[in-house]
Amino acid sequence: MIQKHRASLAVLTALVVLTTLILSGCASMTITLSVPRTPTINTTGIRRIAVMPFTSRENSSLHNEVTQMLTSTATTRIQGTNHFTLVNPAEIQRLQSNNESIENHVDALFTGNIISLNINESSRQVERYNYRTDSTELVTLYRREVELAFEYSFYRSRDGSIIGTASKMGRNYEEKENYSELANPSRLAQTIVSNRLADLYKDVAPYTATEKRTLEKETSKDKNLVKQMDAIFSYVKEGNYKVALNGYLDTYKTYGSVAAAINAAYLHEALGELQEAVQLMTNLYQDSGNPKAKTQMDRLNSYITEQGMLSSEYADTRSQREKVQEYAIGEIRKAINARSQIWIVNKSESGERALALQVVDGITAGLLKAGVTVVDRNNTRLMEAEENFQMSGVVSDDDFFSIGNAAGANTMITIEVTGIGSMRRLKLEVFDMSTRTTVYSSDTSANWNL
């Protein structure tokens, strides 16, 4: 089953809302927020994944059963994030068995294995009072315990590099007076698997966390200040957060109250005004050196950085190749003019030719959509020139210029995939055929990393 997720900055912003007020007497109040968070494993740029079967070094029936449990539960949990497109693992296994590349089918593989799986059985005697006989008797309790440790990882399909790993361990046991009534190891293991994979979504995809902020209580002996803080407190209880926020800000300006400033920052945060919150805490720390202000300032700055990643990296559903293509199109358009008739040449070696063809097709489609004229690559002379270059490398730039001009092109763009694995990048050059000069050449920045 294929599940797709389309995130947007508007949705992420809307998640930072005030959801509940928990009142704990009149002395304190806790504001509960729904806060978007990034996962533990940095899965930015990963959209198409295959959840591969968990493995184990042991081949017992219990080990086989638990690996199936882990695979099934992990697949369900990952599918439930609605963040990834799930690719059939059987297709990936087929490609791998034929030594075929999986990169065009999947961005990453989710794999896992059992580290250890142990069954421990024991018994003990305990004293138990018997009401019917009004006496104490010894009872034997039988215990069965299962210990399970496992790990899972993400691997990039393009080069096999590891993205991140998480390790989990759990125990589950049962005690009964009758040995035959003990739960079988499989059932005990299933509970461990369910419990330890319950938070899998936090490791692999953006999620929404519930966090609490406890408003500060004014400790000053100034009765007027305390009275004013209590009055503002009542507005928060009533849910009138804007009025309460303005009240705390005025109180901070008038009295220099640290509690009022921190509470105002909490309300800014609850209303999605993160920049205002961090600026307030920065001012408070600069004015007073208060350590609470420093703590809040650092927390908010970290949170803003995290939200930036969520809104840019995780909300961007394009593949790395698509990102490079879009960047390349923008650079090409800067280097050409309205009269340009473009011929795009794939100069990549055979091993990277398939990927380069995808890039060429993507750039061609983007340029045509932008109204740029691209010479038909099916022109016989152009195809022969490119094929001769691929086969022998004997076609010179001068030959390309002559052939391109004859086909009606006045601008040539050469595309080449260089490097291997995670070091692959797109090399792109733009030539003016009339002057036979280079008018643009890609640099070595990350914008070209494939």
Side-chain angles (χ1 to χ4, degrees):
M1 181 180 294
I2 293 178
Q3 297 285 338
K4 290 188 176 179
H5 174 70
R6 292 292 183 266
S8 68
L9 178 59
V11 173
L12 291 171
T13 302
L15 282 171
V16 190
V17 295
L18 186 62
T19 58
T20 311
L21 287 178
I22 303 174
L23 303 184
S24 179
C26 59
S28 65
M29 178 181 292
T30 301
I31 302 174
T32 303
L33 307 177
S34 293
V35 182
R37 290 296 187 195
T38 55
T40 306
I41 298 173
N42 185 353
T43 54
T44 55
I46 303 300
R47 288 297 174 178
R48 302 169 301 164
I49 70 169
V51 180
M52 307 306 290
F54 273 68
T55 61
S56 174
R57 289 186 299 244
E58 308 256 349
N59 196 31
S60 71
S61 59
L62 179 59
H63 280 79
N64 293 336
E65 198 170 349
V66 174
T67 57
Q68 292 174 15
M69 293 177 192
L70 287 164
T71 304
S72 175
T73 305
T75 301
T76 300
R77 295 282 193 270
I78 291 174
Q79 184 176 322
T81 66
N82 292 323
H83 184 74
F84 301 102
T85 296
L86 297 188
V87 178
N88 189 337
E91 176 62 13
I92 300 302
Q93 290 174 325
R94 183 191 68 79
L95 292 168
Q96 290 175 327
S97 66
N98 293 330
N99 293 321
E100 296 181 43
S101 172
I102 64 174
E103 184 178 353
N104 292 333
H105 301 267
V106 70
D107 300 319
L109 301 182
F110 177 91
T111 66
N113 65 280
I114 293 177
I115 298 172
S116 63
L117 175 57
N118 300 309
I119 304 171
N120 303 311
E121 295 188 347
S122 61
S123 63
R124 63 191 178 99
Q125 288 189 317
V126 297
E127 289 187 348
R128 181 173 297 170
Y129 180 73
N130 189 323
Y131 288 95
R132 289 178 298 178
T133 62
D134 191 26
S135 62
T136 300
E137 57 188 31
L138 287 177
V139 176
T140 300
L141 292 179
Y142 297 94
R143 176 187 174 101
R144 175 174 291 151
E145 180 182 73
V146 171
E147 296 178 324
L148 172 64
F150 61 92
E151 65 181 8
Y152 48 80
S153 306
F154 267 107
Y155 291 88
R156 295 188 192 280
S157 60
R158 69 184 184 190
D159 59 5
S161 62
I162 190 168
I163 299 171
T165 297
S167 300
K168 305 289 181 180
M169 184 178 69
R171 291 185 178 87
N172 190 23
Y173 73 91
E174 187 173 75
E175 283 188 331
K176 293 286 185 180
E177 290 184 35
N178 294 321
Y179 178 82
S180 61
E181 293 179 0
L182 286 172
N184 62 50
S186 175
R187 198 175 80 185
L188 293 172
Q190 178 67 71
T191 301
I192 299 172
V193 170
S194 298
N195 290 342
R196 300 309 293 154
L197 287 180
D199 291 339
L200 172 61
Y201 67 94
K202 293 182 180 180
D203 284 336
V204 302
Y207 64 96
T208 301
T210 298
E211 298 183 0
K212 294 178 173 58
R213 309 281 184 262
T214 301
L215 297 184
E216 295 282 320
K217 184 180 178 182
E218 183 55 60
T219 58
S220 171
K221 295 181 180 180
D222 187 324
K223 293 183 178 179
N224 290 329
L225 172 56
V226 172
K227 184 177 180 180
Q228 185 163 321
M229 288 287 284
D230 287 342
I232 300 170
F233 206 68
S234 66
Y235 285 117
V236 181
K237 290 181 181 180
E238 294 168 3
N240 202 340
Y241 315 124
K242 277 293 187 181
V243 173
L245 172 60
N246 292 331
Y248 282 131
L249 290 173
D250 289 341
T251 302
Y252 169 54
K253 291 176 182 177
T254 303
Y255 293 92
S257 168
V258 171
I262 292 176
N263 289 350
Y266 285 152
L267 290 177
H268 271 312
E269 183 182 1
L271 294 168
E273 301 166 353
L274 296 177
Q275 293 292 346
E276 290 84 347
V278 75
Q279 187 60 57
L280 179 59
M281 289 297 94
T282 301
N283 293 340
L284 176 60
Y285 181 64
Q286 291 174 345
D287 292 343
S288 66
N290 189 285
K292 287 186 177 181
K294 179 67 163 56
T295 299
Q296 295 300 325
M297 181 180 68
D298 291 343
R299 179 185 65 81
L300 287 163
N301 276 321
S302 175
Y303 183 27
I304 289 172
T305 300
E306 188 173 6
Q307 299 316 296
M309 179 176 288
L310 283 168
S311 63
S312 59
E313 297 295 334
Y314 279 99
D316 191 344
T317 60
R318 297 171 302 165
S319 67
Q320 184 62 23
R321 173 176 57 80
E322 290 170 328
K323 292 177 184 178
V324 173
Q325 287 170 190
E326 184 171 322
Y327 182 77
I329 291 168
E331 294 299 286
I332 291 170
R333 293 184 65 187
K334 295 175 187 176
I336 62 176
N337 55 55
R339 298 184 303 279
S340 295
Q341 308 280 324
I342 293 173
W343 173 29
I344 302 178
V345 180
N346 179 6
K347 296 181 71 173
S348 297
E349 296 181 0
S350 58
E352 299 293 355
R353 187 160 175 73
L355 175 59
L357 281 173
Q358 289 183 322
V359 175
V360 169
D361 289 342
I363 291 176
T364 300
L367 291 174
L368 289 172
K369 187 177 180 180
V372 178
T373 301
V374 180
V375 175
D376 185 2
R377 295 182 67 249
N378 291 322
N379 178 290
T380 302
R381 294 193 67 188
L382 300 183
M383 291 176 65
E384 288 178 351
E386 193 170 311
E387 288 173 3
N388 288 336
F389 177 82
Q390 294 296 330
M391 293 177 65
S392 63
V394 297
V395 181
S396 67
D397 286 342
D398 285 341
D399 292 330
F400 274 122
F401 292 147
S402 298
I403 296 169
N405 278 326
N410 58 29
T411 303
M412 180 174 70
I413 297 174
T414 62
I415 284 177
E416 184 178 1
V417 176
T418 65
I420 59 174
S422 60
M423 300 301 292
R424 285 186 308 190
R425 67 173 55 249
L426 183 67
K427 180 181 179 181
L428 183 147
E429 291 185 290
V430 180
F431 298 90
D432 183 331
M433 289 187 171
S434 63
T435 60
R436 301 196 173 193
T437 58
T438 304
V439 296
Y440 177 82
S441 181
S442 59
D443 55 27
T444 58
S445 70
N447 294 314
W448 301 98
N449 291 345
L450 288 167

